[in-house]
Amino acid sequence: QVQLVGSGGGLVQPGGSLRLSCAASGSIFSIMAMGWYRQAPGKQRELVAQVTRGGITDYAASVKGRFTIFRDNPKNMNTMYLQMNSLKPEDTAVYFCHVDTTITPREFWGLGMQVTVSS
């Protein structure tokens, strides 16, 4: 099992910044990729950003150039961050930490965190 604890959500004005963090524990040796998903009201959950154990990153087109995903230590998969800059109202959503693993059920989710971008 992998446990994920996220923090950092909140209310921010358009153009502002926010940093989300996600700490993994348990069978972290099994984590192959860590990422962030988000779900806005009435919309499907979507991948925001992901980083693999090898350090390869991937971003949704809507956040490229504004969001950065990174780990506290490139050698492990303990803690992951999402630095969100130049936030827009359309970034408002519940954000979820997620990992892909080599152990059943092959993925784990953290609790959602509300991010609201509003003036």
Side-chain angles (χ1 to χ4, degrees), residues 10-48:
L11 172 65
V12 63
Q13 292 186 339
S17 298
L18 208 58
R19 179 178 290 186
L20 305 181
S21 66
C22 178
S25 61
S27 300
I28 59 174
F29 65 88
S30 70
I31 297 174
M32 300 306 295
M34 302 182 78
W36 293 94
Y37 284 73
R38 68 185 181 187
Q39 187 166 18
K43 294 187 177 181
Q44 288 188 330
R45 191 172 296 188
E46 63 173 354
L47 176 66
V48 177

Side-chain angles (χ1 to χ4, degrees), residues 1-118:
Q1 295 289 309
V2 175
Q3 294 79 41
L4 301 172
V5 178
S7 63
L11 172 65
V12 63
Q13 292 186 339
S17 298
L18 208 58
R19 179 178 290 186
L20 305 181
S21 66
C22 178
S25 61
S27 300
I28 59 174
F29 65 88
S30 70
I31 297 174
M32 300 306 295
M34 302 182 78
W36 293 94
Y37 284 73
R38 68 185 181 187
Q39 187 166 18
K43 294 187 177 181
Q44 288 188 330
R45 191 172 296 188
E46 63 173 354
L47 176 66
V48 177
Q50 186 178 57
V51 58
T52 68
R53 178 172 287 277
I56 297 173
T57 57
D58 188 29
Y59 295 91
S62 60
V63 307
K64 275 184 180 178
R66 300 188 297 121
F67 290 12
T68 303
I69 188 170
F70 61 99
R71 296 170 288 176
D72 63 339
N73 185 339
K75 295 184 178 180
N76 63 49
M77 304 291 271
N78 284 0
T79 307
M80 166 187 66
Y81 302 91
L82 184 69
Q83 178 66 41
M84 304 185 291
N85 298 329
S86 302
L87 282 160
K88 305 175 181 180
E90 50 263 44
D91 295 318
T92 295
V94 177
Y95 285 69
F96 298 88
C97 177
H98 173 270
V99 295
D100 291 314
T101 69
T102 58
I103 62 174
T104 303
R106 304 302 295 270
E107 65 175 353
F108 294 87
W109 293 89
L111 295 178
M113 296 182 291
Q114 179 67 47
V115 172
T116 301
V117 184
S118 174

